Amino acid sequence: MNRIYRYPGFAIAPIVALFVIQPAQAETDKSLTERLSPASVYQLPQINPPARTVKDWLAQEAQFASPIKIIDVQLKSTEGGLELILETEAGQIPSLPTPSRDGKTLTVEIAGAVLALTTEQKFKSSKPVEGIESIAVTQVAADRVRVEIISSEESPTLTVNTLENALVFDLKTVAGAPDIELVVTAQKRPEDAQDVPLSLTVIPRQELEDGQISSFQGIANNTPNFTFSPTSYGGTEYNYYSMRGLSNFNSLANQDSVAFYIDDVPFDYGGFLDLSLIDLERVEVLRGPQSTLYGRSSPAGVVNVISRQPTQKPEFGISASYGSYNSREVKLSLSDAVIPDKLSFRLAGAYSGRDGFIDNVTLNRTVGEVSKVAGRAQILWTPTPEWSVSFNTYANDSDGGNPSFNLRNAPDPFQIDQSVDGFARLSSNTQALKIGYDGAGFRATSITARRFTNQSNFLGDNFPQLDLLRQIIDINSTVWSQEFRLQSPENSDRLRWLLGGYYENRDFNVVNDTIERTAIAAALFGLPAGRNRVSAEQSRNTYAIFGQVDYKLIDPLTLFAGLRYEAADSTLDRRRLFEAASGGVTPSGIVQGAEISSSTLIPRFGLQYQITPNLMAYGTIAQGYRPSGFNYRADDEATRQYREEKSWTYEAGLKSSWLDNRLTANLSVFYTNVNDYQVLLTDNDGFFRNVANADVNITGLEFEVKAQPLKGLDLIAGVGYVDSKFQNYSNPFTGINYSNNRVPLAPELTYNLAVQYRSPGGIFARVELRGYGTNYFDDANQIKQDPFALVNARIGYEWPNYGIYLFANNLFDTRYITSGFFFPPPDVTAGFGDPAIYGVQVRANL
């Protein structure tokens, strides 16, 4: 299927590059002969004739008096090459410009024209097809636009055509035309994903829509060596994730091992990540330590979510779906220009909900209902071609219903006996101001962000028809961050550099972390009834300076090196109170003004070598780091602090593209050694209260392939293997040695496969397979989920602007657990994955 690849510019230069893949309209599928009149086509070196009459002269003068506005630049692959399309405002029909040739450079000057793109007032594509080095569209004078096409071998054949409201440059190359390269900003500069020397998964907009990906869990399902799942049945109280064998199983309000970004705003903590991701442009998942290019250090990797940017033309999208268990979802998006070429906006929102599918026989009703509301608004101001300013705000509210668990060996995992109906609620809002400057000598970016999150959970026990214990959690967090970057111009080739600074203030307030023992439990165990309550205030300031230099020593060889200095200061106030049901409060474990500091230098260096135009090899050595911190639940000083976590990762990889980019295949292998890995431990009651340190060794690989063997048929596959094991580790509280045991929440194998067909007639079909190897949930490796696989399917019919689909998630209703822990010891309590859900979806894009 032909697609139009739109590059309206860069939002907030130089960080985010737009790359929107849309089905071509019926008009664009017509041949040039059908679309053009014979008089509108000419071959080089034909040129515009001079004005020979007063009428012609006046027409030309009128054109210059009212410049034609070029509002969009598009690239479209064709059978024999490439089309460059310059779209103009309605009613403005451009005349044929004058081309010229100088060696391998074709230049076309368009007089009486101005660039009025969405954001950055220039366009450039590097190596869009084999045989063409670059295509650039720039404003070279107040009323003149230049198109420059540089070829690597023989100059391509060029035909310039006029359409209504457009100029079309038809380029015919000898080697043919592959798909347009996918542009990413993983290294804080626009570049082809295949040129980035790290293990990188990119999910563009079309794949996000086709795969119905709208959460971090959905992203992980399509990424090797990345898992993400809720702890309970569809619950929102906490999410476990793992990347390359490093998980957040050990995160107790400390810095996460993976950095999550949504439009440059950092997100953290597993209890705060149940978010609806809406109106997305693309997602980039960077595996391995990322500390010299990003504000927040991340020893396992980065998940970078980029939303769609405001447009200069009206755009409206809507989709709705309905399915099993009264599942429903509605999404809306709207974008337009307030002041053409200067000020534009984008709005997006989503609502989703589902009834409970868990039968609570004690309460005689279903529980576990879920509802989410999310909204995003962005204003983009481009006062000049060099400057861009955007304000972005996002809000999310989730009600997860009762966070239900069940015994691991329960006859029916979706039937429970809980006497109390709990809840899990999460709300968050973010604001971000981003200022970008893209000058001739350097680029600069400033990102100021604030994020507030509030979480409230209430959970009963799993004792049949009894109400013995209750857990109550109330937490709120406020994070302020400021990042500033200076970097080399986008067109830098041999030498590229980046220098940045980062500051973050995080106030993490534990209003209530309580275990309540009821009167029934007191009578059974001879203990006082009441609430064992912990409250705490933690504050952490993080300061960092980071930078990286890339130098092309010779044409195929690039060396890069980076360094980061990071310092963190943390404080803790905490108290434990026993509030007796009969009255009275007994304080214990009161701490005021505890302080801890840590700092380190974090290096990263490596090389990449372009073996052939289609094959690149790279190698990196990088350090990962997590600062020391406080365990707010600990009562004694010996377990209150835990040490810094440091790691070294050694990685080598190959990236390749074949058959005119119809086949790409990437392979990476890595080894990671972690010192003082921060381990979260349970107390005698089965609750997570202690933190210790251990050593961990990790080896693994990732392999990804994308192929288009036939027109309309796409294959996407990925496989990840990881062997993550403890070394020299004994539980300090029990003395049990766990060396050579697998690290929890790091499945040995992950794989994903999607087979998709989109016919010219409008038929759409997609089947997905996701699989996981053995996964353990405790240090002793006694609680595990055996290997399993899930199948999703989707089929529908599409028109240019509309579509209707049937879908099935977990098609064969596979049973599996997403969490497990000893509670009450020695029983194992677990959270189970969602059952099969079937439904229908409709969409419209206007």
Side-chain angles (χ1 to χ4, degrees), residues 503-782:
Y503 168 74
E504 179 181 288
N505 171 261
R506 181 176 186 256
D507 290 326
F508 191 89
N509 299 315
V510 182
V511 180
N512 199 358
D513 186 343
T514 296
I515 299 297
E516 180 179 0
R517 190 183 301 120
T518 67
I520 299 175
L524 287 175
F525 302 111
L527 298 173
R531 292 185 172 187
N532 189 351
R533 177 185 175 192
V534 174
S535 60
E537 296 81 38
Q538 294 186 92
S539 179
R540 184 178 67 226
N541 290 310
T542 302
Y543 311 85
I545 299 174
F546 56 94
Q548 181 168 306
V549 175
D550 296 37
Y551 181 68
K552 185 179 290 186
L553 193 63
I554 55 177
D555 279 345
L557 177 63
T558 299
L559 307 178
F560 54 89
L563 187 66
R564 176 189 186 90
Y565 173 76
E566 179 173 314
D569 301 318
S570 299
T571 62
L572 172 69
D573 294 327
R574 64 91 67 181
R575 61 212 62 85
R576 182 186 294 278
L577 304 173
F578 182 77
E579 301 169 346
S582 58
V585 176
T586 304
S588 64
I590 296 177
V591 176
Q592 291 185 333
E595 298 181 358
I596 189 172
S597 299
S598 57
S599 63
T600 191
L601 282 172
I602 311 172
R604 177 178 184 264
F605 49 91
L607 59 85
Q608 66 180 103
Y609 190 86
Q610 197 71 40
I611 302 171
T612 71
N614 296 323
L615 179 63
M616 183 265 283
Y618 69 89
T620 61
I621 301 175
Q623 190 176 55
Y625 173 75
R626 296 176 71 201
S628 57
F630 287 110
N631 171 15
Y632 74 84
R633 287 176 171 171
D635 288 322
D636 60 280
E637 189 173 350
T639 59
R640 187 170 297 128
Q641 296 183 15
Y642 45 87
R643 298 188 295 272
E644 300 169 314
E645 177 182 303
K646 292 185 178 182
S647 62
W648 282 99
T649 296
Y650 308 86
E651 179 178 342
L654 294 171
K655 292 196 166 187
S656 64
S657 59
W658 313 97
L659 303 175
D660 292 337
N661 278 0
R662 292 194 301 273
L663 172 65
T664 61
N666 300 330
L667 172 69
S668 63
V669 294
F670 62 90
Y671 169 76
T672 301
N673 174 257
V674 187
N675 292 321
D676 290 328
Y677 178 78
Q678 296 163 0
V679 184
L680 188 61
L681 305 174
T682 58
D683 60 16
N684 294 331
D685 295 323
F687 293 99
F688 295 110
R689 296 204 175 277
N690 301 314
V691 179
N693 290 91
D695 292 339
V696 171
N697 282 344
I698 306 170
T699 56
L701 65 83
E702 288 125 9
F703 178 71
E704 292 184 284
V705 61
K706 291 186 178 182
Q708 192 177 61
L710 300 172
K711 187 176 181 179
L713 177 63
D714 293 293
L715 305 177
I716 303 171
V719 60
Y721 167 80
V722 66
D723 183 22
S724 181
K725 292 183 177 179
F726 289 114
Q727 304 295 320
N728 305 318
Y729 169 50
S730 296
N731 186 311
F733 304 99
T734 65
I736 300 175
N737 191 318
Y738 293 137
S739 296
N740 293 319
N741 279 16
R742 294 188 61 86
V743 174
L745 301 178
E748 186 176 30
L749 183 69
T750 60
Y751 56 91
N752 60 279
L753 171 65
V755 181
Q756 177 177 294
Y757 179 69
R758 182 175 265 118
S759 75
I763 296 175
F764 174 85
R766 179 184 176 98
V767 177
E768 298 175 349
L769 173 67
R770 295 189 282 108
Y772 306 87
T774 302
N775 192 15
Y776 294 96
F777 296 95
D778 67 320
D779 298 346
N781 289 179
Q782 295 177 347

Side-chain angles (χ1 to χ4, degrees), residues 233 357-361 406 410 412-417:
Y233 301 88
F357 50 75
I358 305 158
D359 183 21
N360 190 328
V361 296
N406 208 340
D412 183 355
F414 300 123
Q415 180 176 298
I416 62 174
D417 294 314

Side-chain angles (χ1 to χ4, degrees), residues 111-129:
V114 294
L115 286 176
L117 304 181
T118 305
T119 54
E120 189 178 19
Q121 300 308 303
K122 63 181 179 181
F123 167 88
K124 184 175 182 180
S125 176
S126 298
K127 298 180 179 179
V129 295

Side-chain angles (χ1 to χ4, degrees), residues 48 58 79 167 170 240 301 440 478 557 621 702 707 814:
N48 278 342
L58 289 175
E79 289 294 332
L167 271 175
D170 186 18
Y240 283 146
T478 303
L557 177 63
I621 301 175
E702 288 125 9
T814 302

